[in-house]
């Protein structure tokens, strides 16, 4: 992952907390919200931002409820660089 993406993630405590909450697991937004301490109504925006940057991926984008997210393979190394 390039340094610009690492800086982008580190600029927002929400993005950092969401990524740390996902870690190397596959989680639903509700679990990510609970584990990160981010309100559930904010987590969808954070996940969308991270998805647009290619940092996380949705494994089942066709469903409205029960979406599963994980850190993309290209971004796993970013977990070590989070502040």
């Amino acid at each position: 992952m390039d340094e610009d993406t690492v800086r982008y993630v580190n600029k927002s405590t929400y993005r950092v907390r969401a990524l740390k909450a996902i870690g190397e697991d596959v989680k639903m937004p509700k679990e990510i919200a609970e584990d990160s301490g981010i309100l559930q109504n904010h987590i969808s925006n954070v996940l969308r931002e991270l998805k647009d940057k290619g940092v996380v991926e949705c494994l089942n984008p066709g469903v409205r409820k029960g979406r599963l997210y994980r850190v993309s393979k290209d971004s796993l190394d970013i977990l070590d660089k989070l502040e």
Side-chain angles (χ1 to χ4, degrees):
M1 189 56 41
D2 63 38
E3 290 302 312
D4 287 340
T5 305
V6 173
R7 277 194 295 275
Y8 170 78
V9 172
N10 276 321
K11 279 185 183 178
S12 166
T13 58
Y14 276 15
R15 290 189 287 254
V16 170
R17 287 164 47 192
L19 274 183
K20 285 181 178 179
I22 298 169
E24 295 186 23
D25 296 326
V26 174
K27 293 187 175 182
M28 291 189 294
K30 183 178 184 201
E31 295 171 303
I32 299 166
E34 289 170 356
D35 294 347
S36 66
I38 299 171
L39 295 174
Q40 196 168 346
N41 58 336
H42 293 291
I43 203 70
S44 60
N45 290 333
V46 174
L47 290 171
R48 184 176 59 251
E49 291 171 0
L50 291 170
K51 190 170 76 105
D52 289 347
K53 285 285 188 180
V55 178
V56 299
E57 55 192 9
C58 180
L59 302 180
N60 54 349
V63 300
R64 275 196 49 76
K65 291 198 178 234
R67 286 189 179 145
L68 298 170
Y69 288 88
R70 70 173 174 203
V71 176
S72 67
K73 289 181 177 120
D74 295 337
S75 300
L76 281 174
D77 63 327
I78 206 171
L79 292 171
D80 299 329
K81 300 175 183 177
L82 296 178
E83 295 177 356

